[in-house]
Amino acid sequence: IAHTVVNSAPKALDLLKSSLDANGHSPYTLIFTDIEMPVMDGFTFTRKVKSDPQLANIFLSVHSSLSNKSNEEKAASAGANDFIPKFTPDNICNLVIRQIEKAEQAQHSEMA
C-alpha cells in the first residue's frame, strides 16, 4: 500500500493540490494529521482540506496525544472524519483497514 509522509501542513496541502488529476480527483483516500505541528496546526489544516471541494472527500483523521473531549470536538468542528488518541494502535489499524476496503470497493465499482 502506497503512502506519503510530509513534514508540514503547508507542504501536505501543496502535495494534495498537485496530486489532482485532470478531473480534479486525488489518489489519496486517507489523511492522518496531528494537532501540534509547526507553521500550521492540525485544526487549520483540517479546515483547509475539508473546505476545498476537490479534497473534501478524502477521509481525514486527527491523531493526537492531546486527546481530550475539547480537542475531539474541535477536530469534528473543523471537519475531521475521526479522532484517534495517540498510543491506540488497534484503532489506527482498524481505521486504515476500513478505508482500504472502501477504496477498493470504489475502485471496483468505477471499473464496472
Side-chain angles (χ1 to χ4, degrees):
I1 296 175
H3 68 279
T4 305
V5 177
V6 183
N7 64 4
S8 77
K11 287 181 183 177
L13 280 173
D14 289 344
L15 174 72
L16 290 167
K17 290 179 182 181
S18 70
S19 76
L20 298 171
D21 65 17
N23 296 319
H25 298 246
S26 175
Y28 294 98
T29 58
L30 172 62
I31 299 169
F32 283 105
T33 185
D34 199 345
I35 293 172
E36 296 182 302
M37 298 185 292
V39 184
M40 181 189 302
D41 66 58
F43 299 129
T44 302
F45 173 73
T46 299
R47 277 191 295 279
K48 287 181 179 279
V49 169
K50 292 302 186 172
S51 68
D52 185 321
Q54 293 178 309
L55 303 176
N57 65 327
I58 301 172
F59 192 96
L60 190 148
S61 179
V62 174
H63 179 234
S64 178
S65 61
L66 301 175
S67 55
N68 57 49
K69 191 69 174 164
S70 174
N71 282 330
E72 264 188 76
E73 290 169 357
K74 285 181 187 176
S77 177
N81 299 97
D82 199 5
F83 184 95
I84 298 178
K86 279 200 177 169
F87 316 114
T88 56
D90 289 346
N91 292 348
I92 295 168
C93 290
N94 288 331
L95 181 120
V96 169
I97 289 168
R98 285 193 313 269
Q99 293 307 311
I100 289 170
E101 288 171 349
K102 279 184 183 177
E104 287 175 345
Q105 289 171 355
Q107 186 177 30
H108 290 301
S109 66
E110 286 177 6
M111 297 174 87

